[in-house]
Amino acid sequence: MAATTTRGDSGNATSTYIDIDALTSDDFSPYTHANTLVLATNNPSDPTIDLTTPLSRVLFDLQEIDSHIHTLTSRSALDILTYTATQNAAAQRILTRIEEERARLNASYERLEKEVLVRHQKAGDAKTTAQRSWEVLRLGRGVQRILNLARQFEVILAESGLGGTTRFGKEDHGALVRATLSILGFRDVITGKEGSDLARINLVKTLRGRVFEDGEARILDFARRVVREFSMSTLSSGSGGGVSTASGPTYREVEDSRARFTSAVHILYLLSPAPRIDGEKMRKKDFEPEYLLRALQGYLQTAITSSSASIGRALGQLPTLDRALLETSARCQNIVALQAMLRGISAPDHPLLQVEALEDKKSTNNDDEEDSDEEEEEIPESSKTNTPDNFLSLLLSALDTASLPSYFWRSLASSLSIRVQEILTRGGVSARTLRSQRDTVRQEIRECVLRGSKLPRTLLVGDSKATSTAKGEQEADNWEREAAVMVGSVVGLLGR
């Protein structure tokens, strides 16, 4: 193998034996180059392949390339060193500038950290401390308000004489209504935005259980007892429970009894649950006085159950029927008096209910003013008077009836049919006597209904408005239908 060298224009020696451009090209493949060397030094038709010659060729090429590189680096060493020194000096200058900038940035960051971050951290700590102090102050004010309400509630409850040493029936009902407002104030605080936090405080827990809940239970017991014991005797004897005079109850006694009953139903109305809806107070039209309705419905149910039991026993023993019917008519008179009392009692302002804005009412009135004349002719009078502006309307709406005496007689009639059927099923002397005396029973039951449906004069003492209302109702109401229902429930099963 021969190698020739030539000197180019630049003075560098280059080898013409090795194709430098092919070896340094991007598409150079060592596999292809090796295959070319093997095929150039061997005959493809020979069964054996001699790799010694191509290996020698590769080694020679490597020596040639190495010597070529050595020649180039030896002749260009000074230029390479000069270029390297220049690049190193430039890099050092750049590094020096970068270090200066880095030091300046570090100094600026330290200054900003002292002026901004440290102050921000201190401000954050101060904000957290202020917020916690404000929370403590806010909760402290809430606890103070609850404590004031508890003290006020205990004082009012002590002044009312409820559960004290005073004589039974001498409770100050007006003070109990004020105590009820204190309970509502506590409910307003405990159900507000701060209620969940206040409820976790031990003092509030103690006051809630030992003061408000216990006092509320006692007040509710008083109000329910007044409603449960309502009768004409309480109106005749006055609020003190004494014996009435020979000339009948005085105007003051009747008014005291009315006021006591009014306070009781007001207490039941105010203490009825009025939960918040989505954090907002309940609207008045959506409020249902649960405690009040339960107490009144329980009173009616007790009267119906007692009358049904007494008349059922008397029908089996007819000599006692007169007394049982007198008691039933007295109970119905109590219900008539209850209806008259409830008609004159309006719902008080409830602190836990939303109050409709006057502007909304005005705008609604203005919108409906044009159509009011036409609608007034079409709307019957009964529907106009059924608006829930008093407690009677609420109770009638809950019972789905037009009047309480009618509800009493019809409910009593439905229960008497079963008792009469039981007597007839047992047979014997009681059933035969009841069939033989059916005309007398019919007349006595009819008189009982008509007698019990009259409004007692005791309730009308000193009240001209109630007197006029009672006269109008007695003229308008016809109790023959209720009498027929009662008679039919008893005599209708006896046959002819």
Side-chain angles (χ1 to χ4, degrees):
M1 296 181 185
T4 60
T5 57
T6 61
R7 184 175 295 274
D9 296 336
S10 61
N12 294 331
T14 59
S15 176
T16 60
Y17 177 77
I18 300 174
D19 190 0
I20 300 298
D21 295 334
L23 294 176
T24 58
S25 63
D26 295 334
D27 56 352
F28 172 77
S29 175
Y31 308 103
T32 304
H33 184 67
N35 188 41
T36 302
L37 291 177
V38 172
L39 292 176
T41 57
N42 290 275
N43 187 1
S45 62
D46 291 340
T48 60
I49 298 175
D50 183 14
L51 298 179
T52 305
T53 303
L55 180 59
S56 301
R57 177 69 180 271
V58 172
L59 294 176
F60 181 80
D61 290 345
L62 289 176
Q63 292 178 359
E64 188 69 18
I65 292 172
D66 182 65
S67 62
H68 182 65
I69 294 174
H70 179 71
T71 303
L72 290 177
T73 54
S74 298
R75 292 181 180 180
S76 303
L78 183 59
D79 296 335
I80 293 174
L81 293 175
T82 303
Y83 177 77
T84 303
T86 303
Q87 294 295 323
N88 188 25
Q92 290 295 329
R93 289 194 300 269
I94 294 173
L95 181 60
T96 303
R97 296 293 301 272
I98 291 175
E99 288 293 335
E100 293 176 357
E101 292 295 331
R102 187 180 66 84
R104 185 164 55 254
L105 288 175
N106 287 336
S108 299
Y109 177 78
E110 292 177 358
R111 179 174 55 82
L112 289 175
E113 185 178 11
K114 293 180 180 179
E115 295 180 356
V116 178
L117 294 181
V118 176
R119 293 182 180 179
H120 179 269
Q121 185 177 3
K122 292 181 180 179
D125 295 340
K127 179 182 178 182
T128 303
T129 303
Q131 287 178 347
R132 292 178 178 177
S133 300
W134 168 247
E135 291 292 331
V136 173
L137 179 60
R138 181 173 57 84
L139 292 177
R141 290 178 178 177
V143 173
Q144 182 180 5
R145 181 182 178 187
I146 292 176
L147 185 59
N148 292 335
L149 288 173
R151 291 175 178 174
Q152 180 182 2
F153 178 74
E154 288 183 334
V155 171
I156 295 176
L157 203 61
E159 292 177 353
S160 67
L162 182 63
T165 58
T166 55
R167 190 173 56 182
F168 178 78
K170 294 289 289 184
E171 294 90 355
D172 186 357
H173 51 82
L176 293 179
V177 175
R178 295 195 301 272
T180 301
L181 296 178
S182 299
I183 296 176
L184 295 182
F186 172 75
R187 286 186 184 178
D188 191 18
V189 176
I190 209 67
T191 58
K193 296 180 179 179
E194 305 173 1
S196 58
D197 296 331
L198 290 172
R200 298 166 56 187
I201 300 175
N202 293 331
L203 178 60
V204 176
K205 292 180 181 179
T206 303
L207 293 177
R208 183 175 188 174
R210 297 183 180 180
V211 178
F212 290 104
E213 291 182 355
D214 291 348
E216 179 180 355
R218 293 163 60 188
I219 293 175
L220 283 175
D221 181 70
F222 161 79
R224 288 166 179 164
R225 187 178 73 246
V226 171
V227 174
R228 184 172 60 251
E229 297 175 356
F230 174 80
S231 65
M232 294 307 302
S233 60
T234 59
L235 292 176
S236 300
S237 60
S239 61
V243 180
S244 60
T245 58
S247 61
T250 63
Y251 173 76
R252 181 178 179 180
E253 291 174 344
V254 175
E255 287 301 314
D256 288 343
S257 298
R258 286 178 178 173
R260 190 166 183 263
F261 180 79
T262 301
S263 298
V265 294
H266 280 177
I267 290 172
L268 293 173
Y269 176 84
L270 293 173
L271 291 182
S272 297
R276 292 176 180 262
I277 302 176
D278 296 332
E280 298 294 334
K281 292 182 179 180
M282 180 184 291
R283 292 182 297 179
K284 188 175 182 179
K285 63 180 182 180
D286 298 331
F287 174 64
E288 182 179 356
E290 179 182 354
Y291 293 163
L292 174 62
L293 295 179
R294 281 186 180 181
L296 296 176
Q297 291 174 359
Y299 177 82
L300 294 175
Q301 193 60 39
T302 300
I304 294 171
T305 303
S306 302
S307 299
S308 176
S310 61
I311 294 177
R313 289 192 300 267
L315 290 175
Q317 300 175 358
L318 287 182
T320 62
L321 182 61
D322 291 340
R323 180 177 179 182
L325 292 178
L326 284 175
E327 293 176 354
T328 301
S329 62
R331 292 190 185 98
C332 186
Q333 281 194 341
N334 292 337
I335 294 175
V336 174
L338 176 67
Q339 178 174 268
M341 292 279 288
L342 293 177
R343 181 181 289 107
I345 302 175
S346 300
D349 295 334
H350 202 301
L352 302 183
L353 300 180
Q354 289 185 5
V355 179
E356 297 181 357
L358 296 178
E359 297 180 357
D360 295 341
K361 293 183 179 179
K362 291 180 180 179
S363 61
T364 304
N365 293 333
N366 292 333
D367 294 338
D368 299 339
E369 187 176 4
E370 298 178 357
D371 301 333
S372 60
D373 297 336
E374 299 178 359
E375 295 178 355
E376 187 175 359
E377 297 178 358
E378 300 177 358
I379 299 176
E381 293 296 330
S382 59
S383 62
K384 293 181 181 179
T385 58
N386 285 336
T387 56
D389 54 352
N390 52 47
F391 287 154
L392 179 61
S393 300
L394 292 174
L395 182 58
L396 294 179
S397 178
L399 296 175
D400 192 17
T401 185
S403 67
L404 297 183
S406 176
Y407 177 81
F408 171 79
W409 291 122
R410 291 178 183 271
S411 300
L412 181 59
S414 62
S415 63
L416 285 179
S417 300
I418 300 175
R419 297 182 179 273
V420 173
Q421 188 65 39
E422 292 177 354
I423 295 175
L424 296 179
T425 302
R426 288 195 304 266
V429 179
S430 299
R432 292 193 299 269
T433 305
L434 186 59
R435 284 193 176 97
S436 62
Q437 299 293 331
R438 59 177 175 270
D439 293 335
T440 304
V441 172
R442 177 189 295 109
Q443 184 64 25
E444 290 181 354
I445 292 177
R446 181 178 178 277
E447 292 178 356
C448 173
V449 174
L450 297 180
R451 180 175 61 251
S453 302
K454 294 181 180 180
L455 185 66
R457 294 183 58 188
T458 305
L459 193 66
L460 306 179
V461 174
D463 194 344
S464 58
K465 182 178 179 180
T467 303
S468 60
T469 303
K471 290 181 179 180
E473 288 182 352
Q474 290 178 358
E475 293 176 359
D477 292 340
N478 184 9
W479 300 105
E480 291 293 339
R481 181 178 300 177
E482 277 67 24
V485 172
M486 281 289 295
V487 170
S489 65
V490 177
V491 182
L493 299 176
L494 301 179
R496 296 182 179 180

